[in-house]
Amino acid sequence: MTATHYSLVGDIGGTNARFALVERGSFQPRAIEVLACGNYRNLDHAVTDYLARVGVSEVGEACLAVASPVTGTRVRMTNNHWCFDTDEVRKQFRWRTFKVINDFTAMALGVPHVPEEHLVHVCGGPGDSRRARLVIGPGTGLGVSGLVPINEGWVPLMTEGGHVDFAPTDEDEMKILRILKARFGRVSVERILCGQGLLNLYQAHAEIQGVPAALDAPEKVTAAALEDNDALARHTLRHFCELLGRVAGNGVLTLGGTGGVYLCGGILPRFLDFFLESPFRNGFEDKGRMRPLLEATPVFVVTEPYTGLLGAAEALTNPEV
């Protein structure tokens, strides 16, 4: 079947590529398929297989979100072997347009299209819909973006906010900074607020307490914390949540993001109940004279699994992208 009234959208990470179709004028992905990147030589092979799977011979245009820097027409994936030229791929598939955007930019663009049932309220008041929104999420790294409202739309901000300095606020955190500085030199918040960062934080707390760091993977730290039989793991995960709150609060103050904070990515939904009872809120709101501003800013955990696809669909018609 030929379906040039369809567009192709994708969200491509290091391990998996998520593809979907959207109809012209729609932001709702359909025919979603998740393909393992390792099973394909390059992007074009995966696209060809996806279109065959869903019974569509061609589409009119495409937008892909990729987990890598996007400059020029050459895209080299950060965490897998795919490398492609956007002009060559566009000509190969005869697409009218082909956009490639950063995956966290797509995450931000998708946030306004997430259904309410996939937004879990954490804290904060109604906010101000006329103001910017902060989008932040720990995953492989710490993604940070923003959405600035314009007439009938949004401008996404492409930032490297995950690489701001880690700023200790007490003696234990000064010790953590010294421990991580000895390992990494400069210590950004991403050294703590991501999957590997959770393990870094766990190992630093173990060193401070003078006990063995028995766990060797972030998912093991999370599991032990949730089972409530490992005091070190539980303390580490609570501290992780508090630090995320502090960084998110800093982001609101910097961006003027009183339109709301949207916590994205795959990590937080795995321990949502723990997170909601964690010191995140205290870290977020503890801004001295600015506390009322933070208390009025709503914070949500985004549980929609395909936010990146929603953002890629938005980017197709968004002239600011």
Side-chain angles (χ1 to χ4, degrees), residues 47-68:
V47 169
T48 299
D49 184 43
Y50 168 74
L51 293 176
R53 285 168 181 254
V54 298
V56 172
S57 60
E58 62 180 341
V59 295
E61 56 188 357
C63 179
L64 302 181
V66 297
S68 68

mmCIF file with all atom_site columns, all heavy atoms in Angstrom, residues 47-68:
data_model
loop_
_atom_site.group_PDB
_atom_site.id
_atom_site.type_symbol
_atom_site.label_atom_id
_atom_site.label_alt_id
_atom_site.label_comp_id
_atom_site.label_asym_id
_atom_site.label_entity_id
_atom_site.label_seq_id
_atom_site.pdbx_PDB_ins_code
_atom_site.Cartn_x
_atom_site.Cartn_y
_atom_site.Cartn_z
_atom_site.occupancy
_atom_site.B_iso_or_equiv
_atom_site.pdbx_formal_charge
_atom_site.auth_seq_id
_atom_site.auth_comp_id
_atom_site.auth_asym_id
_atom_site.auth_atom_id
_atom_site.pdbx_PDB_model_num
ATOM 1   N N   . VAL A 1 47 ? 14.603 1.170  8.511  1.00 0.00 ? 47 VAL A N   1
ATOM 2   C CA  . VAL A 1 47 ? 13.423 1.846  7.968  1.00 0.00 ? 47 VAL A CA  1
ATOM 3   C C   . VAL A 1 47 ? 12.719 0.951  6.951  1.00 0.00 ? 47 VAL A C   1
ATOM 4   O O   . VAL A 1 47 ? 11.480 0.809  6.971  1.00 0.00 ? 47 VAL A O   1
ATOM 5   C CB  . VAL A 1 47 ? 13.812 3.193  7.330  1.00 0.00 ? 47 VAL A CB  1
ATOM 6   C CG1 . VAL A 1 47 ? 12.647 3.775  6.537  1.00 0.00 ? 47 VAL A CG1 1
ATOM 7   C CG2 . VAL A 1 47 ? 14.271 4.177  8.400  1.00 0.00 ? 47 VAL A CG2 1
ATOM 8   N N   . THR A 1 48 ? 13.492 0.335  6.062  1.00 0.00 ? 48 THR A N   1
ATOM 9   C CA  . THR A 1 48 ? 12.916 -0.549 5.048  1.00 0.00 ? 48 THR A CA  1
ATOM 10  C C   . THR A 1 48 ? 12.161 -1.700 5.697  1.00 0.00 ? 48 THR A C   1
ATOM 11  O O   . THR A 1 48 ? 11.033 -2.045 5.293  1.00 0.00 ? 48 THR A O   1
ATOM 12  C CB  . THR A 1 48 ? 14.019 -1.093 4.129  1.00 0.00 ? 48 THR A CB  1
ATOM 13  O OG1 . THR A 1 48 ? 14.665 0.004  3.462  1.00 0.00 ? 48 THR A OG1 1
ATOM 14  C CG2 . THR A 1 48 ? 13.454 -2.047 3.091  1.00 0.00 ? 48 THR A CG2 1
ATOM 15  N N   . ASP A 1 49 ? 12.760 -2.299 6.726  1.00 0.00 ? 49 ASP A N   1
ATOM 16  C CA  . ASP A 1 49 ? 12.109 -3.415 7.408  1.00 0.00 ? 49 ASP A CA  1
ATOM 17  C C   . ASP A 1 49 ? 10.846 -2.948 8.134  1.00 0.00 ? 49 ASP A C   1
ATOM 18  O O   . ASP A 1 49 ? 9.808  -3.621 8.088  1.00 0.00 ? 49 ASP A O   1
ATOM 19  C CB  . ASP A 1 49 ? 13.080 -4.057 8.406  1.00 0.00 ? 49 ASP A CB  1
ATOM 20  C CG  . ASP A 1 49 ? 12.486 -5.292 9.069  1.00 0.00 ? 49 ASP A CG  1
ATOM 21  O OD1 . ASP A 1 49 ? 11.855 -6.110 8.362  1.00 0.00 ? 49 ASP A OD1 1
ATOM 22  O OD2 . ASP A 1 49 ? 12.641 -5.441 10.299 1.00 0.00 ? 49 ASP A OD2 1
ATOM 23  N N   . TYR A 1 50 ? 10.922 -1.780 8.781  1.00 0.00 ? 50 TYR A N   1
ATOM 24  C CA  . TYR A 1 50 ? 9.738  -1.274 9.487  1.00 0.00 ? 50 TYR A CA  1
ATOM 25  C C   . TYR A 1 50 ? 8.580  -1.062 8.518  1.00 0.00 ? 50 TYR A C   1
ATOM 26  O O   . TYR A 1 50 ? 7.450  -1.497 8.779  1.00 0.00 ? 50 TYR A O   1
ATOM 27  C CB  . TYR A 1 50 ? 10.056 0.039  10.209 1.00 0.00 ? 50 TYR A CB  1
ATOM 28  C CG  . TYR A 1 50 ? 8.798  0.714  10.699 1.00 0.00 ? 50 TYR A CG  1
ATOM 29  C CD1 . TYR A 1 50 ? 8.102  0.227  11.802 1.00 0.00 ? 50 TYR A CD1 1
ATOM 30  C CD2 . TYR A 1 50 ? 8.245  1.802  10.009 1.00 0.00 ? 50 TYR A CD2 1
ATOM 31  C CE1 . TYR A 1 50 ? 6.906  0.804  12.217 1.00 0.00 ? 50 TYR A CE1 1
ATOM 32  C CE2 . TYR A 1 50 ? 7.053  2.386  10.416 1.00 0.00 ? 50 TYR A CE2 1
ATOM 33  C CZ  . TYR A 1 50 ? 6.389  1.878  11.522 1.00 0.00 ? 50 TYR A CZ  1
ATOM 34  O OH  . TYR A 1 50 ? 5.195  2.442  11.918 1.00 0.00 ? 50 TYR A OH  1
ATOM 35  N N   . LEU A 1 51 ? 8.837  -0.386 7.398  1.00 0.00 ? 51 LEU A N   1
ATOM 36  C CA  . LEU A 1 51 ? 7.765  -0.117 6.439  1.00 0.00 ? 51 LEU A CA  1
ATOM 37  C C   . LEU A 1 51 ? 7.165  -1.419 5.902  1.00 0.00 ? 51 LEU A C   1
ATOM 38  O O   . LEU A 1 51 ? 5.954  -1.513 5.698  1.00 0.00 ? 51 LEU A O   1
ATOM 39  C CB  . LEU A 1 51 ? 8.293  0.753  5.296  1.00 0.00 ? 51 LEU A CB  1
ATOM 40  C CG  . LEU A 1 51 ? 8.701  2.187  5.687  1.00 0.00 ? 51 LEU A CG  1
ATOM 41  C CD1 . LEU A 1 51 ? 9.289  2.906  4.472  1.00 0.00 ? 51 LEU A CD1 1
ATOM 42  C CD2 . LEU A 1 51 ? 7.519  2.967  6.255  1.00 0.00 ? 51 LEU A CD2 1
ATOM 43  N N   . ALA A 1 52 ? 8.016  -2.429 5.701  1.00 0.00 ? 52 ALA A N   1
ATOM 44  C CA  . ALA A 1 52 ? 7.507  -3.731 5.247  1.00 0.00 ? 52 ALA A CA  1
ATOM 45  C C   . ALA A 1 52 ? 6.633  -4.374 6.322  1.00 0.00 ? 52 ALA A C   1
ATOM 46  O O   . ALA A 1 52 ? 5.586  -4.964 6.023  1.00 0.00 ? 52 ALA A O   1
ATOM 47  C CB  . ALA A 1 52 ? 8.683  -4.647 4.894  1.00 0.00 ? 52 ALA A CB  1
ATOM 48  N N   . ARG A 1 53 ? 7.039  -4.251 7.579  1.00 0.00 ? 53 ARG A N   1
ATOM 49  C CA  . ARG A 1 53 ? 6.278  -4.843 8.678  1.00 0.00 ? 53 ARG A CA  1
ATOM 50  C C   . ARG A 1 53 ? 4.875  -4.254 8.776  1.00 0.00 ? 53 ARG A C   1
ATOM 51  O O   . ARG A 1 53 ? 3.918  -4.960 9.110  1.00 0.00 ? 53 ARG A O   1
ATOM 52  C CB  . ARG A 1 53 ? 7.001  -4.607 10.011 1.00 0.00 ? 53 ARG A CB  1
ATOM 53  C CG  . ARG A 1 53 ? 8.228  -5.476 10.245 1.00 0.00 ? 53 ARG A CG  1
ATOM 54  C CD  . ARG A 1 53 ? 9.010  -4.953 11.454 1.00 0.00 ? 53 ARG A CD  1
ATOM 55  N NE  . ARG A 1 53 ? 10.196 -5.729 11.715 1.00 0.00 ? 53 ARG A NE  1
ATOM 56  C CZ  . ARG A 1 53 ? 10.332 -6.597 12.721 1.00 0.00 ? 53 ARG A CZ  1
ATOM 57  N NH1 . ARG A 1 53 ? 9.325  -6.791 13.556 1.00 0.00 ? 53 ARG A NH1 1
ATOM 58  N NH2 . ARG A 1 53 ? 11.453 -7.259 12.888 1.00 0.00 ? 53 ARG A NH2 1
ATOM 59  N N   . VAL A 1 54 ? 4.759  -2.936 8.538  1.00 0.00 ? 54 VAL A N   1
ATOM 60  C CA  . VAL A 1 54 ? 3.451  -2.291 8.701  1.00 0.00 ? 54 VAL A CA  1
ATOM 61  C C   . VAL A 1 54 ? 2.694  -2.189 7.378  1.00 0.00 ? 54 VAL A C   1
ATOM 62  O O   . VAL A 1 54 ? 1.604  -1.617 7.333  1.00 0.00 ? 54 VAL A O   1
ATOM 63  C CB  . VAL A 1 54 ? 3.604  -0.893 9.344  1.00 0.00 ? 54 VAL A CB  1
ATOM 64  C CG1 . VAL A 1 54 ? 4.209  -1.033 10.743 1.00 0.00 ? 54 VAL A CG1 1
ATOM 65  C CG2 . VAL A 1 54 ? 4.442  0.053  8.491  1.00 0.00 ? 54 VAL A CG2 1
ATOM 66  N N   . GLY A 1 55 ? 3.278  -2.733 6.307  1.00 0.00 ? 55 GLY A N   1
ATOM 67  C CA  . GLY A 1 55 ? 2.567  -2.810 5.035  1.00 0.00 ? 55 GLY A CA  1
ATOM 68  C C   . GLY A 1 55 ? 2.428  -1.505 4.300  1.00 0.00 ? 55 GLY A C   1
ATOM 69  O O   . GLY A 1 55 ? 1.449  -1.284 3.585  1.00 0.00 ? 55 GLY A O   1
ATOM 70  N N   . VAL A 1 56 ? 3.422  -0.618 4.461  1.00 0.00 ? 56 VAL A N   1
ATOM 71  C CA  . VAL A 1 56 ? 3.409  0.672  3.769  1.00 0.00 ? 56 VAL A CA  1
ATOM 72  C C   . VAL A 1 56 ? 4.634  0.741  2.867  1.00 0.00 ? 56 VAL A C   1
ATOM 73  O O   . VAL A 1 56 ? 5.762  0.553  3.322  1.00 0.00 ? 56 VAL A O   1
ATOM 74  C CB  . VAL A 1 56 ? 3.421  1.835  4.788  1.00 0.00 ? 56 VAL A CB  1
ATOM 75  C CG1 . VAL A 1 56 ? 3.597  3.164  4.084  1.00 0.00 ? 56 VAL A CG1 1
ATOM 76  C CG2 . VAL A 1 56 ? 2.133  1.831  5.603  1.00 0.00 ? 56 VAL A CG2 1
ATOM 77  N N   . SER A 1 57 ? 4.426  1.021  1.605  1.00 0.00 ? 57 SER A N   1
ATOM 78  C CA  . SER A 1 57 ? 5.550  1.006  0.667  1.00 0.00 ? 57 SER A CA  1
ATOM 79  C C   . SER A 1 57 ? 6.387  2.273  0.731  1.00 0.00 ? 57 SER A C   1
ATOM 80  O O   . SER A 1 57 ? 7.596  2.249  0.501  1.00 0.00 ? 57 SER A O   1
ATOM 81  C CB  . SER A 1 57 ? 5.038  0.791  -0.759 1.00 0.00 ? 57 SER A CB  1
ATOM 82  O OG  . SER A 1 57 ? 4.153  1.840  -1.127 1.00 0.00 ? 57 SER A OG  1
ATOM 83  N N   . GLU A 1 58 ? 5.747  3.412  1.040  1.00 0.00 ? 58 GLU A N   1
ATOM 84  C CA  . GLU A 1 58 ? 6.501  4.654  1.152  1.00 0.00 ? 58 GLU A CA  1
ATOM 85  C C   . GLU A 1 58 ? 5.707  5.669  1.977  1.00 0.00 ? 58 GLU A C   1
ATOM 86  O O   . GLU A 1 58 ? 4.495  5.540  2.145  1.00 0.00 ? 58 GLU A O   1
ATOM 87  C CB  . GLU A 1 58 ? 6.822  5.232  -0.228 1.00 0.00 ? 58 GLU A CB  1
ATOM 88  C CG  . GLU A 1 58 ? 5.598  5.590  -1.043 1.00 0.00 ? 58 GLU A CG  1
ATOM 89  C CD  . GLU A 1 58 ? 5.982  6.159  -2.404 1.00 0.00 ? 58 GLU A CD  1
ATOM 90  O OE1 . GLU A 1 58 ? 7.128  6.606  -2.580 1.00 0.00 ? 58 GLU A OE1 1
ATOM 91  O OE2 . GLU A 1 58 ? 5.109  6.159  -3.285 1.00 0.00 ? 58 GLU A OE2 1
ATOM 92  N N   . VAL A 1 59 ? 6.445  6.644  2.503  1.00 0.00 ? 59 VAL A N   1
ATOM 93  C CA  . VAL A 1 59 ? 5.815  7.742  3.247  1.00 0.00 ? 59 VAL A CA  1
ATOM 94  C C   . VAL A 1 59 ? 6.312  9.049  2.647  1.00 0.00 ? 59 VAL A C   1
ATOM 95  O O   . VAL A 1 59 ? 7.295  9.079  1.894  1.00 0.00 ? 59 VAL A O   1
ATOM 96  C CB  . VAL A 1 59 ? 6.161  7.679  4.755  1.00 0.00 ? 59 VAL A CB  1
ATOM 97  C CG1 . VAL A 1 59 ? 5.568  6.439  5.392  1.00 0.00 ? 59 VAL A CG1 1
ATOM 98  C CG2 . VAL A 1 59 ? 7.667  7.743  4.979  1.00 0.00 ? 59 VAL A CG2 1
ATOM 99  N N   . GLY A 1 60 ? 5.636  10.144 2.994  1.00 0.00 ? 60 GLY A N   1
ATOM 100 C CA  . GLY A 1 60 ? 5.970  11.415 2.360  1.00 0.00 ? 60 GLY A CA  1
ATOM 101 C C   . GLY A 1 60 ? 7.124  12.151 3.008  1.00 0.00 ? 60 GLY A C   1
ATOM 102 O O   . GLY A 1 60 ? 7.875  12.864 2.334  1.00 0.00 ? 60 GLY A O   1
ATOM 103 N N   . GLU A 1 61 ? 7.277  12.004 4.323  1.00 0.00 ? 61 GLU A N   1
ATOM 104 C CA  . GLU A 1 61 ? 8.306  12.737 5.046  1.00 0.00 ? 61 GLU A CA  1
ATOM 105 C C   . GLU A 1 61 ? 8.634  11.991 6.323  1.00 0.00 ? 61 GLU A C   1
ATOM 106 O O   . GLU A 1 61 ? 7.928  11.049 6.708  1.00 0.00 ? 61 GLU A O   1
ATOM 107 C CB  . GLU A 1 61 ? 7.844  14.161 5.350  1.00 0.00 ? 61 GLU A CB  1
ATOM 108 C CG  . GLU A 1 61 ? 6.534  14.227 6.120  1.00 0.00 ? 61 GLU A CG  1
ATOM 109 C CD  . GLU A 1 61 ? 5.994  15.647 6.245  1.00 0.00 ? 61 GLU A CD  1
ATOM 110 O OE1 . GLU A 1 61 ? 6.663  16.587 5.787  1.00 0.00 ? 61 GLU A OE1 1
ATOM 111 O OE2 . GLU A 1 61 ? 4.907  15.796 6.826  1.00 0.00 ? 61 GLU A OE2 1
ATOM 112 N N   . ALA A 1 62 ? 9.707  12.431 6.993  1.00 0.00 ? 62 ALA A N   1
ATOM 113 C CA  . ALA A 1 62 ? 10.137 11.725 8.189  1.00 0.00 ? 62 ALA A CA  1
ATOM 114 C C   . ALA A 1 62 ? 10.802 12.685 9.165  1.00 0.00 ? 62 ALA A C   1
ATOM 115 O O   . ALA A 1 62 ? 11.398 13.696 8.766  1.00 0.00 ? 62 ALA A O   1
ATOM 116 C CB  . ALA A 1 62 ? 11.103 10.596 7.829  1.00 0.00 ? 62 ALA A CB  1
ATOM 117 N N   . CYS A 1 63 ? 10.689 12.332 10.442 1.00 0.00 ? 63 CYS A N   1
ATOM 118 C CA  . CYS A 1 63 ? 11.440 13.028 11.489 1.00 0.00 ? 63 CYS A CA  1
ATOM 119 C C   . CYS A 1 63 ? 11.910 11.983 12.492 1.00 0.00 ? 63 CYS A C   1
ATOM 120 O O   . CYS A 1 63 ? 11.100 11.209 13.010 1.00 0.00 ? 63 CYS A O   1
ATOM 121 C CB  . CYS A 1 63 ? 10.595 14.081 12.194 1.00 0.00 ? 63 CYS A CB  1
ATOM 122 S SG  . CYS A 1 63 ? 11.503 14.932 13.516 1.00 0.00 ? 63 CYS A SG  1
ATOM 123 N N   . LEU A 1 64 ? 13.204 11.961 12.750 1.00 0.00 ? 64 LEU A N   1
ATOM 124 C CA  . LEU A 1 64 ? 13.777 11.008 13.689 1.00 0.00 ? 64 LEU A CA  1
ATOM 125 C C   . LEU A 1 64 ? 14.471 11.749 14.820 1.00 0.00 ? 64 LEU A C   1
ATOM 126 O O   . LEU A 1 64 ? 15.206 12.713 14.585 1.00 0.00 ? 64 LEU A O   1
ATOM 127 C CB  . LEU A 1 64 ? 14.787 10.099 12.986 1.00 0.00 ? 64 LEU A CB  1
ATOM 128 C CG  . LEU A 1 64 ? 14.282 9.277  11.793 1.00 0.00 ? 64 LEU A CG  1
ATOM 129 C CD1 . LEU A 1 64 ? 15.407 8.419  11.248 1.00 0.00 ? 64 LEU A CD1 1
ATOM 130 C CD2 . LEU A 1 64 ? 13.090 8.425  12.183 1.00 0.00 ? 64 LEU A CD2 1
ATOM 131 N N   . ALA A 1 65 ? 14.239 11.291 16.024 1.00 0.00 ? 65 ALA A N   1
ATOM 132 C CA  . ALA A 1 65 ? 14.970 11.769 17.198 1.00 0.00 ? 65 ALA A CA  1
ATOM 133 C C   . ALA A 1 65 ? 16.111 10.792 17.455 1.00 0.00 ? 65 ALA A C   1
ATOM 134 O O   . ALA A 1 65 ? 15.892 9.576  17.474 1.00 0.00 ? 65 ALA A O   1
ATOM 135 C CB  . ALA A 1 65 ? 14.040 11.832 18.404 1.00 0.00 ? 65 ALA A CB  1
ATOM 136 N N   . VAL A 1 66 ? 17.310 11.306 17.637 1.00 0.00 ? 66 VAL A N   1
ATOM 137 C CA  . VAL A 1 66 ? 18.473 10.433 17.793 1.00 0.00 ? 66 VAL A CA  1
ATOM 138 C C   . VAL A 1 66 ? 19.261 10.794 19.046 1.00 0.00 ? 66 VAL A C   1
ATOM 139 O O   . VAL A 1 66 ? 19.362 11.965 19.421 1.00 0.00 ? 66 VAL A O   1
ATOM 140 C CB  . VAL A 1 66 ? 19.408 10.500 16.559 1.00 0.00 ? 66 VAL A CB  1
ATOM 141 C CG1 . VAL A 1 66 ? 18.688 10.005 15.311 1.00 0.00 ? 66 VAL A CG1 1
ATOM 142 C CG2 . VAL A 1 66 ? 19.933 11.914 16.336 1.00 0.00 ? 66 VAL A CG2 1
ATOM 143 N N   . ALA A 1 67 ? 19.813 9.771  19.679 1.00 0.00 ? 67 ALA A N   1
ATOM 144 C CA  . ALA A 1 67 ? 20.617 9.965  20.883 1.00 0.00 ? 67 ALA A CA  1
ATOM 145 C C   . ALA A 1 67 ? 22.061 10.265 20.489 1.00 0.00 ? 67 ALA A C   1
ATOM 146 O O   . ALA A 1 67 ? 22.978 9.472  20.726 1.00 0.00 ? 67 ALA A O   1
ATOM 147 C CB  . ALA A 1 67 ? 20.543 8.723  21.766 1.00 0.00 ? 67 ALA A CB  1
ATOM 148 N N   . SER A 1 68 ? 22.242 11.424 19.866 1.00 0.00 ? 68 SER A N   1
ATOM 149 C CA  . SER A 1 68 ? 23.577 11.857 19.466 1.00 0.00 ? 68 SER A CA  1
ATOM 150 C C   . SER A 1 68 ? 23.504 13.341 19.120 1.00 0.00 ? 68 SER A C   1
ATOM 151 O O   . SER A 1 68 ? 22.415 13.862 18.858 1.00 0.00 ? 68 SER A O   1
ATOM 152 C CB  . SER A 1 68 ? 24.077 11.063 18.255 1.00 0.00 ? 68 SER A CB  1
ATOM 153 O OG  . SER A 1 68 ? 23.331 11.376 17.096 1.00 0.00 ? 68 SER A OG  1
#
